[in-house]
Amino acid sequence: MSEQLTDGLIEAQVYLTGNLGYQINIQFSPVEASTIAATMRPDVNLAMVDMHMDGYTLPLELIGAGAWRSKGKMPMAGLWVMSIGFGDEFAEVTFDAK
């Protein structure tokens, strides 16, 4: 997923590693006039599609300038939507966890 937000480009890759395991890599590249520093943690939320439940926030590890990583295990199989962004601007990607 790649999305141009007002303050910069946000890119994310979701790797499903089997048995509900995942690794998510996020890269934020701010534009020159951005008020958001590359080291600022993005807001990341996971929620199940078509379920009426609150999403949850991923643990993120800063691995470089604007680069974040999360590894873990999904709580259940199914179709998930991940939103990533800052303030009111978000990019979304949907994936099927198995």
Side-chain angles (χ1 to χ4, degrees):
M1 181 269 307
S2 179
E3 181 104 12
Q4 184 66 48
L5 305 178
T6 302
D7 282 298
L9 178 68
I10 196 153
E11 299 173 289
Q13 297 89 29
V14 178
Y15 300 99
L16 300 174
T17 58
N19 197 24
L20 298 178
Y22 70 83
Q23 177 176 315
I24 297 171
N25 297 331
I26 300 168
Q27 178 68 50
F28 176 66
S29 303
V31 296
E32 190 172 317
S34 177
T35 58
I36 298 172
T39 56
M40 185 174 169
R41 183 189 193 284
D43 297 320
V44 181
N45 188 54
L46 281 173
M48 288 203 75
V49 174
D50 297 331
M51 295 286 272
H52 298 287
M53 61 183 248
D54 291 333
Y56 68 95
T57 303
L58 293 176
L60 290 179
E61 172 189 5
L62 181 64
I63 58 173
W68 299 85
R69 179 180 300 142
S70 181
K71 293 180 182 180
K73 191 169 185 173
M74 303 300 293
M76 65 176 40
L79 199 56
W80 288 82
V81 62
M82 178 176 64
S83 59
I84 308 166
F86 299 95
D88 294 334
E89 281 194 296
F90 285 88
E92 289 188 342
V93 64
T94 302
F95 61 93
D96 192 6
K98 298 177 183 184

